[in-house]
Amino acid sequence: MVDFFRKKGIVFEKFTKLDLKKLGIKKRLEIYIGLDTHKKYYVIVYVDRKSRILFKDAKSYEELVQSLPVKHGFRYKYLLYHAPLCSKAKEYLQEVGWRVDAIV
């Protein structure tokens, strides 16, 4: 994942994975918080599954990020996925400010 951002020219000073069990989240995904060299915060939601990511999943990702117990706002929100993605879900996430990319 770090290589993906390095190819885009983004270098992180801090890059941490959130422990979802401590937050009471039982979803099958990974959430990372990164701080780049320009002091901008990133939240990265990584989804790796075989079933399609639907519109309701996209809404739940947005709600999940909004409910994270962090004191700062995120400048960039990324959804990195290794699954089929519904076009409505992708459109919704882009409308609310997410960047959506497939990881191969």
Side-chain angles (χ1 to χ4, degrees):
M1 185 173 312
V2 175
D3 291 333
F4 171 81
F5 286 103
R6 190 175 309 141
K7 288 178 186 176
K8 291 189 171 268
I10 301 168
V11 178
F12 292 109
E13 287 181 6
K14 289 184 182 178
F15 193 77
T16 57
K17 180 179 178 181
L18 292 181
D19 187 9
L20 298 179
K21 289 184 182 180
K22 288 183 180 178
L23 298 174
I25 300 169
K26 296 182 180 180
K27 295 186 180 272
R28 292 186 182 178
L29 52 94
E30 297 174 5
I31 299 178
Y32 299 91
I33 295 179
L35 175 65
D36 73 359
T37 55
H38 301 290
K39 306 297 184 207
K40 295 178 183 166
Y41 282 93
Y42 289 69
V43 63
I44 299 119
V45 176
Y46 176 68
V47 180
D48 184 11
R49 64 186 202 190
K50 293 181 182 178
S51 60
R52 182 176 295 271
I53 299 170
L54 300 174
F55 179 76
K56 67 176 186 167
D57 298 320
K59 287 184 82 169
S60 72
Y61 300 155
E62 174 66 18
E63 292 169 2
L64 180 66
V65 167
Q66 297 298 326
S67 69
L68 288 177
V70 290
K71 306 268 190 276
H72 52 77
F74 294 109
R75 174 74 180 203
Y76 300 104
K77 297 181 279 188
Y78 273 89
L79 173 68
L80 302 179
Y81 62 93
H82 186 74
L85 179 65
C86 171
S87 61
K88 289 181 183 178
K90 183 176 182 178
E91 194 175 295
Y92 168 75
L93 287 171
Q94 289 174 339
E95 283 178 8
V96 293
W98 286 66
R99 296 177 183 194
V100 181
D101 287 307
I103 298 277
V104 180

